[in-house]
Amino acid sequence: MKVISLDLIGIETLWEIYLNAIDPKVIKNSQELLLRIATKLNDPKMRVHFIDVTIKYIEKAYNAISNKTDEASQQLHANRISRSLDFIVKLLQEFGELHIQKGSHSIHDAINVSITNSFTHAIAPKKFTLTLFKTMTVSEAKTLIASKLNPQVQVKEVMLMTRGSILTNDK
């Protein structure tokens, strides 16, 4: 599946659900759906637009807080900012941009890794490719991989193997 246009029916409603929900399950599920839509965007310009939309939600909430609204309203807008920032971080991780910016990684340090999710209750996609970097530690790689598995698992449950050997945190 590829998303070829951001003119999606209900996308604004999905954003409002994500930004205003109280139930943690609703927050998590709506964020995952937004991330799934964003990662299926066909054009890099649409991806930038998706980030721009998120930034506009931050600006709108910040302006509402600046207008010295009541305390409950300020908390609501602070939550919207927090969720928007969390979404941007996850989106950048999904696009692989965050790791490039965090360290001294270059495109020459990139390693495409094939992941097979062999957990009993794995949800599609069970096989996918992820970009890691030579300068990442095994622990960082495991953390990134664990966040991409569906259902999500604890980092300690992830086992990395290369050439028949298990990679440990000190290798």
Side-chain angles (χ1 to χ4, degrees):
M1 174 183 94
K2 289 185 180 177
V3 178
I4 56 173
S5 169
L6 284 177
D7 188 25
L8 301 171
I9 296 172
I11 191 78
E12 291 87 10
T13 304
L14 180 58
W15 271 107
E16 288 302 318
I17 291 169
Y18 170 61
L19 294 173
N20 296 315
I22 297 170
D23 185 342
K25 280 186 175 181
V26 173
I27 295 166
K28 182 178 184 268
N29 290 339
S30 57
Q31 182 188 59
E32 286 176 358
L33 183 53
L34 284 167
L35 284 169
R36 200 171 315 137
I37 292 167
T39 58
K40 300 298 181 185
L41 293 173
N42 203 21
D43 181 357
K45 290 179 184 176
M46 286 193 291
R47 291 178 177 178
V48 170
H49 176 74
F50 215 85
I51 292 172
D52 288 343
V53 167
T54 310
I55 291 170
K56 286 180 183 168
Y57 281 113
I58 293 170
E59 289 172 345
K60 187 177 175 183
Y62 176 78
N63 289 335
I65 290 172
S66 297
N67 289 334
K68 308 233 188 286
T69 55
D70 62 272
E71 191 173 320
S73 182
Q74 285 187 348
Q75 185 60 47
L76 171 76
H77 292 297
N79 286 343
R80 291 174 67 103
I81 291 171
S82 175
R83 289 183 192 169
S84 296
L85 290 171
D86 182 53
F87 181 80
I88 287 175
V89 168
K90 287 188 171 136
L91 195 59
L92 290 173
Q93 286 174 334
E94 200 69 37
F95 294 151
E97 302 293 326
L98 189 62
H99 293 288
I100 293 171
Q101 293 174 359
K102 267 176 68 174
S104 59
H105 305 297
S106 74
I107 196 71
H108 303 293
D109 292 332
I111 303 169
N112 289 324
V113 179
S114 296
I115 307 293
T116 303
N117 186 352
S118 57
F119 284 96
T120 308
H121 302 297
I123 300 171
K126 292 185 179 188
K127 291 184 178 187
F128 56 94
T129 302
L130 192 62
T131 302
L132 302 177
F133 297 93
K134 293 177 185 177
T135 55
M136 293 175 83
T137 65
V138 172
S139 180
E140 288 173 330
K142 283 178 151 185
T143 301
L144 181 60
I145 292 166
S147 73
K148 304 294 181 208
L149 295 176
N150 197 357
Q152 286 194 343
V153 297
Q154 298 287 326
V155 174
K156 64 184 177 186
E157 296 178 86
V158 175
M159 183 184 335
L160 301 181
M161 297 186 72
T162 182
R163 298 182 184 128
S165 299
I166 297 173
L167 294 174
T168 59
N169 289 343
D170 56 356
K171 287 187 181 178

